[in-house]
Amino acid sequence: MQLQLPEPGADAQAASQALRQLIAGEIAAAGGWISFERYMELALYAPQFGYYSGGAAKLGKDGDFTTAPEISPLFGATLAHLATELIATSGSIANVFLEFGAGTGKLAFDILSELKSRNQLPQQYFIVEISAQLRARQRETLGEFAALVEWLDALPESFSGIVLGNEVLDAMPVRLAIKADGIWLERGVAVNAEGAFVFADRAVDGLPVAQIPDAEALPEGYLTELAPVAIGFMRTLAGMIARGAGAVAILPDYGFPAAEYYLDDRSQGTLMCHYRHHAHPDPFYLPGLQDITAHVDFTAMAVAAVEAGAEVLAYASQGAFLLNAGIGELLLRTSPEASLQYLPQANAMQKLISPAEMGELFKVLAIGKNVEWPQRMLRHDRTHRL
């Protein structure tokens, strides 16, 4: 497959080649085959060479993709606005934040800046970040708030406060399953005679196809993703929340409920790669230099959360969630008559909420315990679809 994508520099190509050799070595040591989940884990997180472990820019105009916080500070300001309301009305929620996978630190910066303007800065803002390179970038971004921010290597046992995970679930490694001759095989990765990575299918014990509703009814050749890592994360997150006095976790991401995820016309799955703002389907292209993601099965995430003791508070499109949380009112703090300031903000907000942009593709799952969830946040709620 020949992809017409921007050419990386020599150093980047050398890093990608080093990662390719590391992965090929692991495949050889494993007898010629590894799961795609393991390939994706190495491609994204292998020390020094993985996409999130290396030194390349990931986000924004110079990176490979753009997230909501990079589009507009209104995204973080809106979440801050909702968080202060939850803390004030619930009583049991501490004025403490925990963000998982904070990217450049832009969301944390926007939230803390908004809270500072309200004289409502939190007691602490924790960040769980496994990438040393991103952690360094976050420290730089959040220098103004250095006294409040603390980095953690893992989620704590229990937590009371506000948890945020913007586009975290889609970056977790997935297993691939394909239906062939009436059974489900696992699609993994091998190396062909030319030394290139190729897909290879094999029967394995314990493939968790129970995640797929009516798996037996899907047609031959159907390929999809399974998300045991994300499900495990949701159980850990929900358990942490359930053991605390009161907490809410807000998880914006792109994906579908199970009834929409496993449709006949989505027969080749949702796996997608991002390189220099180009989206393409080849996960073997420049390993370590491109992002690899899959859409989120929000039903599986919600079920895991409930099984671990948390409650599903809301599930809505990102557009509906942000509008209910007050993004329109926050925009109007800038007068429409001040067009030079207002129009760029309005255009950015439109990207976040429009069904033709991020407003419908992205959803928001909110889970929690001992939370007074605002009634207005249930307008256009889709929890019944999970």
Side-chain angles (χ1 to χ4, degrees):
M1 181 180 184
Q2 292 298 312
L3 295 171
Q4 300 301 313
L5 296 175
E7 192 74 13
D11 289 349
Q13 290 195 46
S16 180
Q17 185 59 30
L19 178 59
R20 185 181 289 275
Q21 291 172 355
L22 185 153
I23 296 172
E26 181 154 328
I27 292 171
W33 185 95
I34 60 172
S35 68
F36 182 78
E37 179 185 83
R38 179 57 178 162
Y39 171 86
M40 185 172 170
E41 181 184 357
L42 289 169
L44 295 181
Y45 302 109
Q48 189 177 349
F49 300 120
Y51 181 74
Y52 286 108
S53 308
K58 319 294 183 222
L59 309 174
K61 62 183 178 62
D62 297 322
D64 301 303
F65 56 93
T66 299
T67 62
E70 307 292 327
I71 290 172
S72 171
L74 285 172
F75 184 79
T78 304
L79 293 182
H81 178 71
L82 176 61
T84 55
E85 179 181 354
L86 293 169
I87 292 165
T89 58
S90 295
S92 58
I93 299 180
N95 188 14
V96 178
F97 287 69
L98 188 156
E99 185 178 356
F100 191 91
T104 63
K106 181 68 163 59
L107 178 57
F109 179 83
D110 291 339
I111 288 172
L112 290 169
S113 296
E114 177 68 20
L115 294 175
K116 182 180 180 181
S117 73
R118 298 164 175 253
N119 292 316
Q120 292 176 313
L121 279 170
Q123 299 161 22
Q124 195 111 47
Y125 196 108
F126 295 105
I127 294 177
V128 179
E129 179 59 69
I130 61 175
S131 167
Q133 185 265 336
L134 286 176
R135 189 180 286 205
R137 191 166 176 187
Q138 291 157 16
R139 288 186 192 279
E140 186 178 332
T141 302
L142 297 168
E144 177 184 345
F145 302 105
L148 291 175
V149 183
E150 181 180 339
W151 281 263
L152 306 175
D153 295 321
L155 293 176
E157 273 295 303
S158 64
F159 182 76
S160 175
I162 305 294
V163 182
L164 302 166
N166 185 54
E167 290 194 58
V168 166
L169 296 170
D170 70 82
M172 294 188 176
V174 295
R175 295 174 76 172
L176 298 182
I178 185 166
K179 194 172 185 184
D181 297 326
I183 64 170
W184 287 94
L185 304 176
E186 181 158 15
R187 173 156 288 184
V189 182
V191 178
N192 67 12
E194 287 77 43
F197 294 134
V198 292
F199 286 121
D201 304 334
R202 63 165 57 177
V204 298
D205 292 331
L207 193 62
V209 292
Q211 181 184 331
I212 309 171
D214 301 320
E216 299 311 310
L218 291 171
E220 284 288 303
Y222 194 94
L223 174 69
T224 194
E225 302 87 25
L226 305 173
V229 174
I231 289 171
F233 169 79
M234 287 299 295
R235 287 183 179 138
T236 301
L237 173 64
M240 177 192 78
I241 286 172
R243 287 186 288 271
V248 58
I250 298 171
L251 305 167
D253 223 315
Y254 51 91
F256 313 98
E260 298 171 25
Y261 199 110
Y262 306 103
L263 295 174
D264 282 1
D265 60 2
R266 199 165 282 121
S267 62
Q268 294 306 299
T270 70
L271 199 71
M272 189 56 61
C273 305
H274 301 273
Y275 178 70
R276 304 276 184 87
H277 293 278
H278 292 74
H280 68 88
D282 183 5
F284 302 142
Y285 180 78
L286 295 176
L289 301 187
Q290 64 171 357
D291 192 25
I292 306 173
T293 72
H295 282 54
V296 176
D297 174 351
F298 279 107
T299 299
M301 301 305 116
V303 168
V306 170
E307 288 177 347
E311 301 167 7
V312 173
L313 303 173
Y315 170 67
S317 71
Q318 178 174 286
F321 189 93
L322 291 175
L323 286 168
N324 291 341
I327 193 171
E329 290 83 348
L330 293 179
L331 170 66
L332 289 176
R333 294 188 301 191
T334 301
S335 170
E337 295 178 5
S339 57
L340 285 178
Q341 290 76 39
Y342 176 82
L343 288 177
Q345 291 188 55
N347 290 337
M349 186 187 85
Q350 199 59 21
K351 288 183 180 179
L352 296 175
I353 67 171
S354 168
E357 300 269 359
M358 296 178 73
E360 180 58 38
L361 175 64
F362 281 73
K363 315 297 192 305
V364 181
L365 177 66
I367 65 170
K369 196 76 173 179
N370 301 322
V371 175
E372 193 71 35
W373 191 248
Q375 195 63 33
R376 74 175 190 286
M377 293 302 299
L378 295 176
R379 291 197 297 258
H380 309 293
D381 185 69
R382 299 181 184 178
T383 302
H384 62 282
R385 296 194 191 179
L386 290 172

